[in-house]
Amino acid sequence: MTQSVSGNIAGLKNSQLLQLEKLYTMTTGHCEFITGDIVALITAVSAEINREISVYINRKGRILNVAVGDKATVSLGEIKNRRAQRGFSGVRCVHTHPGGSALPSDVDLSALDALNLDAIASIGFATDQEPEIYVGMRSHAGPAHSDHSGNYIIYGPYSVTTISNSNLMDTILIAEKQLASKAAALPSDAEQHRERAILAGIRKQNDSDEQVNESLAELAQLADTAGVNVLYQTVQSRVRPDIATYIGKGKAREIGLKAQVLKADLLILDDELSPAQQRNLEEITGIKTVDRTTLILDIFAQRARTLEGKLQVELAQLSYLLPRLTGKGLVLSRLGGGIGTRGPGETKLEVDRRRIRKRINDLKKELEAVRKNRNLQRAARKKSSIPVVSICGYTNSGKSTLLNRLTDAGILAEDKLFATLDPTTRQLKLPDNRTALISDTVGFINKIPHHLIAAFRGTLEEVTESDVLLHVVDISHQAMDMQMESVNRLLADLGVYDKPVVTVFNKIDKLDQADVTRLAQFRYNRLPDSVFISARTGQGIDKLLELISLNLPGQRSRATYMIPYSHGALISLLHDRARVVEQIYLDEYIRITIDVDEKTKALAKDFLVPDILDGGTPHG
């Protein structure tokens, strides 16, 4: 049966296709890299159609595949019947560059590694000029002039005659032995592999450059946190995302070629993709494609430590995965024989979906049990009148560092996004001698996946039950205002409208004092309850504690008591529950002035000095 020509054959005449199909009947000699007849045929057809043509030849001299591209590129896809998936494949590629340079392009050279080719040859030709041929091999091939990166060696230029008489086939055999010996000394793939990614986003009609650049920079930080090596970033301007590929087919093809050059194995998109968009992008680019949501879920999965955190992450992952399950329909059916077993049965895809739905229901029940337990703890705290302070804010704003500074909590604090995931609660001693509970919550982020909000709603409810919120802001970040807006928007979604909020501008140690003063004047006009601190150095912490005390319920007032020496237990109680301003020992009484809440004030009302006047007498 006649073998067909692959690639972009739209618009080709039957006579041209027949000419290209003749290539399958042509061969090269055992020691011959390429023959003049093959070169003449592909250059003639390439000039006629003004498109690149490639042929793949094995070590036996037989042509395995013929492909047609466009004027600038030709598909260098997977080749069947290759000798090996590692080392040299036993296949070489020869292709044309109509009207262009004969030197191999970056995409050409990257195909050497991507397809494990023996060599790749490019034929440059123009009207009334003899074809000129260059051959690229990997740098293990021996002495020759290497390209600018040092990873490849370019041989040539050759004419049709000189390449037919060259010793390039011997060079390939020598290079293969050198590569094999070098590969034996290298660590295994698992030891040396780290995913290499390209990041992509779109600039919509109303987006500013600052917004787009900041979002992509944040995506790069997320990738680094997840252990991915970012090689390249790109942005596509569009009125709206493409319904099929999000970034458009042309941009997807461009990224596919870039991935081949850079040896990238992962594409990360800056927004959530539909299942169809993800599938289409993988088909066009040829590499695994994930979106921002998948990346964040992966980080959460790495960072979850407590049982509740792991349950929440698993619920979010399964909720995201369920609509993205794809299969091959009846190909995956369970077929049986006999009465009651005929018919398509239940496909594997349906089984997987059913199992995931059941696991989601089980996770929700487990989290509901955890939520009930948390509600009991909240009720106990309310009964004991212990005020609660919650630290919230954008991820990597310094929340964990602040909790460590205030309470010596000793939790992990790193300069990474979502360094800590599981919330931590500690006791906090305030300047007025009151005790409060202070909790660190999960960090917020722009474009936070709704699956995470749903799964972590129980944890985020800690914010809604707090008496005071500390909104921690990284004042050194260039996108500080955008981050504050994202946090405020999420707090509004959680229904936190009436809570006292202390805005904590952190990391002032990274700014010049003049900048801090200027920003402080500007911010205090907009946010009276705000403070500038450095959680790392401790600067401004005393002022922060005062603001927390002022905003907590049960505001204290100043009172003076004349307490007999016989009531020493009452004096000890006031020392524990109030802030002592002054204490004077008289003949029969101890005169004590304190800042005290109404509840504690009532316990000692019999000894209260009216109007806090010197010389007053106690009641009773």
Side-chain angles (χ1 to χ4, degrees), residues 559-568 570-571 574 588-592 601-610 616-620:
T560 299
Y561 299 89
M562 299 283 284
I563 300 176
Y565 284 99
S566 59
H567 289 70
L570 180 58
I571 293 177
L574 294 178
E588 299 180 12
Y589 300 96
I590 297 175
R591 178 176 171 174
I592 183 169
K601 187 176 183 178
L603 296 175
K605 65 178 190 289
D606 292 339
F607 304 103
L608 179 66
V609 176
T617 57
H619 290 278

Side-chain angles (χ1 to χ4, degrees), residues 47 205 261 265 315 353 393 412 432 438 477 522 532 554:
Q205 197 168 14
V261 171
D265 50 19
L315 176 59
R353 284 177 175 161
L412 175 69
D432 58 8
I438 184 166
H477 201 287
F522 173 70
F532 289 75

Side-chain angles (χ1 to χ4, degrees), residues 18 28 60 69 71 109 127 134 166 178 183 236 255 281 313 331 361 406 412 429 435 450 467 510 550 553 569:
L18 288 172
T28 66
K60 295 180 179 178
K71 185 175 180 179
L109 293 173
T127 306
Y134 283 90
S166 68
Q178 292 176 339
Q236 175 77 342
I255 290 174
L281 282 172
V313 170
V331 176
N361 289 332
L406 292 174
L412 175 69
K429 196 74 171 179
T435 298
H450 65 274
D467 296 298
K510 292 187 175 183
L550 288 173

Side-chain angles (χ1 to χ4, degrees), residues 433-502:
N433 233 21
R434 280 187 295 174
T435 298
L437 293 178
I438 184 166
S439 297
D440 179 21
T441 61
V442 62
F444 300 162
I445 196 168
N446 192 28
K447 302 178 184 178
I448 188 166
H450 65 274
H451 307 285
L452 282 180
I453 296 177
F456 280 77
R457 184 162 291 277
T459 301
L460 294 173
E461 282 174 0
E462 292 289 346
V463 174
T464 65
E465 297 294 329
S466 301
D467 296 298
V468 173
L469 299 180
L470 302 185
H471 178 182
V472 183
V473 180
D474 180 359
I475 196 173
S476 68
H477 201 287
Q478 60 182 6
M480 175 183 67
D481 289 324
M482 291 169 56
Q483 293 183 351
M484 290 179 66
E485 183 182 344
S486 295
V487 174
N488 290 332
R489 187 165 55 247
L490 186 54
L491 289 175
D493 291 342
L494 291 170
V496 182
Y497 298 103
D498 55 348
K499 301 289 182 185
V501 178
V502 176

Side-chain angles (χ1 to χ4, degrees), residues 516-526 532:
V516 174
T517 303
R518 175 177 53 79
L519 287 169
Q521 184 176 3
F522 173 70
R523 292 291 170 188
Y524 277 131
N525 293 333
R526 292 175 52 187
F532 289 75

Side-chain angles (χ1 to χ4, degrees), residues 70-122:
D70 56 31
K71 185 175 180 179
T73 60
V74 64
S75 174
L76 300 174
E78 191 70 18
I79 303 301
K80 296 180 180 179
N81 303 320
R82 292 192 299 158
R83 286 172 8 107
Q85 294 296 320
R86 299 185 65 178
F88 280 16
S89 65
V91 177
R92 58 191 181 275
C93 174
V94 180
H95 70 293
T96 61
H97 283 181
S101 170
L103 284 169
S105 66
D106 289 340
V107 174
D108 294 339
L109 293 173
S110 67
L112 286 168
D113 289 322
L115 303 177
N116 299 323
L117 295 174
D118 289 358
I120 188 164
S122 52

Side-chain angles (χ1 to χ4, degrees), residues 176-198:
E176 185 173 36
K177 292 179 180 179
Q178 292 176 339
L179 178 64
S181 61
K182 187 171 183 178
L186 292 175
S188 66
D189 290 343
E191 293 171 340
Q192 61 183 342
H193 180 70
R194 188 183 187 209
E195 286 187 295
R196 299 158 59 85
I198 291 176

